[in-house]
Amino acid sequence: MDAQPLGSAWAVFLLAAVLYYRGHFHVTFVLAFVFWGLLARVLADTLGTVGTLAVGIPFGVLPALFLVIHAIDVRVGFSRLPTVYSIPACFLGAPVLLTAATLGVLVGMLTA
């Protein structure tokens, strides 16, 4: 496993978090696709298919679905209670996945 995609995923995540904090939502949206592509590659290489699905669905896919519901609610002008937590869930789910991938890379490097 090459550590460059993992480092790139960390850098893109941190850049997206800073830009989101500063209100650059369109750039953050684009960076999210780059981040999830990099992270999917890293997770698939380190955890395998079953591990990627086991970790990726609760910490990646479900928060993203909440975020889509939140975006629809904002467009409609009505906010439902679960959507209040969508953005923090996405930003907290991503570091969990990054940490799992980092541990997978470290274990792979130590056992190789």
Side-chain angles (χ1 to χ4, degrees):
M1 170 67 207
D2 195 12
Q4 289 174 345
L6 178 64
S8 299
W10 272 106
V12 168
F13 173 74
L14 293 174
L15 179 63
V18 168
L19 290 174
Y20 181 82
Y21 177 75
R22 297 206 177 258
H24 300 284
F25 304 120
H26 291 95
V27 178
T28 304
F29 176 76
V30 173
L31 288 175
F33 284 104
V34 174
F35 168 75
W36 287 112
L38 288 167
L39 190 63
R41 178 178 174 218
V42 171
L43 286 174
D45 288 347
T46 57
L47 301 176
T49 304
V50 176
T52 300
L53 291 175
V55 173
I57 289 174
F59 292 109
V61 175
L62 293 178
L65 289 176
F66 278 127
L67 196 58
V68 168
I69 292 169
H70 176 69
I72 292 170
D73 282 347
V74 168
R75 289 279 185 199
V76 174
F78 178 74
S79 293
R80 295 183 185 100
L81 182 61
T83 61
V84 173
Y85 305 106
S86 60
I87 294 171
C90 285
F91 269 106
L92 293 176
V96 169
L97 290 174
L98 280 170
T99 303
T102 302
L103 291 174
V105 168
L106 289 175
V107 168
M109 292 170 68
L110 293 174
T111 58

